Amino acid sequence: MFLINKTVIKNGLQIILGSFIYAIAINDFLIPHQIGEGGVTGLTTIGYYALNIPPAVTNFVLNGILMLIGFRFLSKKTVWYSLWAIVWISAFLKLPRLLNYHTTQTIIPAIAGGVLMGISMWIIFRGEGTIAGSTILAKIMNRYFGMKNGSAMLMFDLCVAIPSVFIIGFQNMILTVIELYVSAVVLNSLLSRFGARKSVTIISNRTEEITSELSEVLHQGITLISAKGYYHQEKMPMIYAICTDKQVAQIVPLVSSVDPDAFVVVENVHSVKGEALEKIL
C-alpha cells in the first residue's frame, strides 16, 4: 500500500509541474504574441482572441467533455490523472504572467512555446496522465493503431490550428504550425529517449543458461518462442523480452559472455501494455 501511495504522490507532483510549465507556455509565450495552438488549447486561445473568454474556463469545460471519451477508451487510472492535470492547468492559467517577455521577433516565442509545450506534455505523460484535448485522441490512436503520441497530436492539432487563420491571421497561423511541430518533435524525442522500451530477441544454443541469467537481471517475464531454422531445419527456443535502454546495456554483454555466437536483435517498441508493465510512447 505504501508503494502505491508513493507512486500516486510522485505522479501527482509530476503532473502539477508539467501543468505549471504548460501554463507558462500559454500565458507568457503564446497569448501575448497571438500565437495559436492545436486541439482544445487552440480553441481556448481562439476564444480568448475572438470573444475574450478566459482560457481557464474554456480549458476546463471542453476538456471535461472530452474526458467522457477517455472513460470509454482509456484506463481509468489515466483518466483520473488527466482530470488532475486539467484542474491544475486551469488553475495555473489564471495566474498572472510570470516572465512578461515580449519581442517583435515572433518566431522566438513560437519556438520557445513549442519547446515548453513538448517538455510539459512529456512530464505529464511520465506521470501517467494527459492534458486531455488532442492527447486523449492521440492516446487512442497510439493504443489501437500504434501511432506515436507526438505525431498523432500534431495531426489533430493542425485540424484546429489551420482554420485559426481567420482569427489570428496568416502569419500567426504559420507560427502556430511551427510551434506545434516543435512541440511534437520535442515530445517524441523525450519519450523515445527517456520512456522507450526495447524488444530483445535472442537465438542461441545455450538458451537455458541465458534465460536463467536474464531472469536475475530483468526481474520480469521472459518469453520462449518455438523456432525452426530453414537451412538446417533445426528446432530451438527463441528468447524474447521487453526491456529498457538501461537493461539492454546489461543484456547484450551478458548474452555475449554466455554464448559469443548468440544472435541478438534489439528493436524499438512504440507501445507496451501488460500486467506490471505499461508504457505508451
Side-chain angles (χ1 to χ4, degrees):
M1 182 62 69
F2 173 76
L3 292 178
I4 295 177
N5 290 336
K6 184 178 179 180
T7 300
V8 170
I9 292 173
K10 178 183 176 182
N11 288 342
L13 292 176
Q14 283 191 50
I15 289 173
I16 293 174
L17 175 61
S19 300
F20 180 68
I21 297 174
Y22 190 88
I24 288 178
I26 295 174
N27 283 342
D28 292 89
F29 290 96
L30 302 187
I31 288 181
H33 299 90
Q34 285 212 317
I35 299 173
E37 241 291 328
V40 168
T41 305
L43 294 176
T44 65
T45 56
I46 290 174
Y48 178 79
Y49 298 144
L51 304 173
N52 204 32
I53 300 175
V57 175
T58 311
N59 178 76
F60 187 81
V61 173
L62 294 181
N63 277 326
I65 296 173
L66 279 173
M67 288 308 298
L68 297 177
I69 300 176
F71 270 108
R72 173 65 177 83
F73 292 100
L74 299 177
S75 68
K76 298 301 181 288
K77 179 175 65 175
T78 299
V79 170
W80 288 117
Y81 279 133
S82 298
L83 285 172
W84 180 249
I86 292 171
V87 169
W88 282 102
I89 289 174
S90 299
F92 288 136
L93 284 173
K94 290 185 176 182
L95 296 176
R97 292 177 60 186
L98 298 178
L99 302 180
N100 289 317
Y101 174 77
H102 187 78
T103 177
T104 56
Q105 302 294 323
T106 48
I107 188 67
I108 297 176
I111 294 176
V115 171
L116 289 177
M117 282 287 191
I119 293 173
S120 65
M121 287 186 288
W122 170 68
I123 294 174
I124 292 173
F125 283 178
R126 291 277 289 179
E128 301 186 57
T130 73
I131 57 171
S134 58
T135 60
I136 291 289
L137 302 177
K139 283 280 189 180
I140 294 171
M141 292 294 290
N142 178 269
R143 171 166 293 187
Y144 294 102
F145 299 99
M147 184 180 292
K148 286 186 176 181
N149 271 317
S151 303
M153 286 177 58
L154 179 61
M155 179 182 70
F156 289 118
D157 287 344
L158 289 176
C159 293
V160 173
I162 293 177
S164 69
V165 65
F166 299 107
I167 304 296
I168 61 179
F170 180 76
Q171 176 177 305
N172 284 355
M173 185 272 287
I174 294 298
L175 291 171
T176 299
V177 172
I178 293 173
E179 181 269 324
L180 290 173
Y181 176 76
V182 171
S183 67
V185 169
V186 171
L187 176 59
N188 280 339
S189 298
L190 289 172
L191 287 174
S192 297
R193 183 173 180 81
F194 297 104
R197 290 291 187 269
K198 303 285 187 182
S199 68
V200 179
T201 304
I202 305 168
I203 300 175
S204 170
N205 291 318
R206 305 176 68 175
T207 303
E208 289 297 330
E209 296 175 57
I210 292 176
T211 305
S212 176
E213 294 286 342
L214 290 181
S215 181
E216 293 187 16
V217 172
L218 298 180
H219 303 290
Q220 66 182 51
I222 299 173
T223 301
L224 294 178
I225 303 173
S226 297
K228 181 180 179 181
Y230 175 76
Y231 187 77
H232 293 289
Q233 296 293 303
E234 181 182 0
K235 293 182 179 180
M236 68 173 63
M238 185 170 62
I239 303 171
Y240 183 82
I242 300 294
C243 56
T244 64
D245 283 336
K246 182 178 179 180
Q247 289 173 323
V248 169
Q250 297 174 289
I251 290 173
V252 174
L254 185 151
V255 172
S256 296
S257 67
V258 176
D259 182 5
D261 297 322
F263 184 70
V264 182
V265 179
V266 179
E267 298 178 289
N268 291 323
V269 175
H270 295 300
S271 297
V272 177
K273 187 178 187 302
E275 186 177 356
L277 178 62
E278 180 173 350
K279 179 62 63 177
I280 307 297
L281 302 180

